[in-house]
Amino acid sequence: DAGVTQSPTHLIKTRGQQVTLRCSPISGHKSVSWYQQVLGQGPQFIFQYYEKEERGRGNFPDRFSARQFPNYSSELNVNALLLGDSALYLCASNQLAGGRTDTQYFGPGTRLTVL
Amino acid sequence: AQRVTQPEKLLSVFKGAPVELKCNYSYSGSPELFWYVQYSRQRLQLLLRHISRESIKGFTADLNKGETSFHLKKPFAQEEDSAMYYCALSSGYSTLTFGKGTMLLVSP
């Protein structure tokens, strides 16, 4: 298994544009979480999805949205991009829902630059 | 609200020296704490979790509820330990609250 995969690797957008980031979890994992990592900070939780349902949402504006597909892959959408949205976006997958001690497996991230 | 604090941005030690990376947390419930590590050009990965009480790559961490701390320790640092270390707290459904991270540099 290649582990969690994310696409694209890098992305450059201008202010006001919209962006879609993609994530494929490890085979057999039904839960996907998204994190934003701004330079010099730790990852910050955005969303968690399990079985296509949103299970958790972090403190992010409504410009951020996500969804999970029947094959458990996920997309993160960000509308009306701001300069401050420039960050590394990480996807993580884990196997069980509600398992607080579940190990989260992280993807390599998508580096988004907003100009 | 939960919070994780890592007071040191950078910790620089010589090979063979002891290492302690500090982590303090704030959480109203019963915490589940983790240390994640990111080596150069690699993805973020779990190093250890308090519930397992295990030693990984010579690192240990003990949860001290009285001091709300979960410091990461290793008696003898190795050059290959150089990496970014993040302390994290689980707050339901495996979502994680991370600290800002500490860069550990081990010099020969």
Side-chain angles (χ1 to χ4, degrees), chain B residues 23-62:
Chain B
C23 172
N24 289 89
Y25 66 90
S26 173
Y27 185 59
S28 56
S30 181
E32 298 199 37
L33 287 144
F34 306 81
W35 277 98
Y36 277 78
V37 61
Q38 188 166 28
Y39 301 101
S40 179
R41 296 191 203 84
Q42 293 187 28
R43 59 186 69 188
L44 197 59
Q45 58 185 290
L46 178 68
L47 179 63
L48 57 79
R49 65 184 83 183
H50 90 272
I51 200 167
S52 301
R53 304 182 68 83
E54 57 193 346
S55 172
I56 305 294
K57 300 185 179 183
F59 284 98
T60 59
D62 289 319

Side-chain angles (χ1 to χ4, degrees), chain A residues 2-5 33 35 37 40-43 45 48 55 90 94 96-104 106-108, chain B residues 9 27 30-32 34 36 38 43-46 49 51 86 89-101:
Chain A
V4 177
T5 59
S33 299
Y35 293 82
Q37 187 173 19
Q41 304 288 320
F45 172 69
Q48 186 186 56
R55 284 296 183 96
L90 296 170
N94 61 288
L96 301 172
R100 289 180 65 203
T101 58
D102 259 10
T103 297
Q104 290 218 13
F106 284 84
Chain B
K9 272 191 166 180
Y27 185 59
S30 181
E32 298 199 37
F34 306 81
Y36 277 78
Q38 188 166 28
R43 59 186 69 188
L44 197 59
Q45 58 185 290
L46 178 68
R49 65 184 83 183
I51 200 167
Y86 293 97
L89 182 152
S90 176
S91 52
Y93 295 113
S94 302
T95 60
L96 296 168
T97 299
F98 285 90
K100 292 185 178 182

Side-chain angles (χ1 to χ4, degrees), chain B residues 13-16 19 37-40 42 45 47 56-59 74 76-85 103-108:
Chain B
V13 302
F14 288 105
K15 177 183 172 181
V19 169
V37 61
Q38 188 166 28
Y39 301 101
S40 179
Q42 293 187 28
Q45 58 185 290
L47 179 63
I56 305 294
K57 300 185 179 183
F59 284 98
K74 185 169 182 177
F76 307 104
Q78 303 298 315
E79 289 180 68
E80 56 265 30
D81 296 329
S82 295
M84 194 73 182
Y85 291 80
M103 172 67 77
L104 173 64
L105 288 177
V106 182
S107 304

Side-chain angles (χ1 to χ4, degrees), chain A residues 38-76:
Chain A
V38 174
L39 197 62
Q41 304 288 320
Q44 187 175 358
F45 172 69
I46 311 175
F47 286 110
Q48 186 186 56
Y49 275 77
Y50 175 75
E51 290 278 17
K52 295 169 286 181
E53 303 235 338
E54 182 183 302
R55 284 296 183 96
R57 171 187 283 255
N59 188 23
F60 279 81
D62 292 343
R63 299 184 296 107
F64 289 76
S65 63
R67 55 180 175 168
Q68 188 177 33
F69 299 99
N71 66 353
Y72 305 113
S73 67
S74 177
E75 286 183 352
L76 175 70

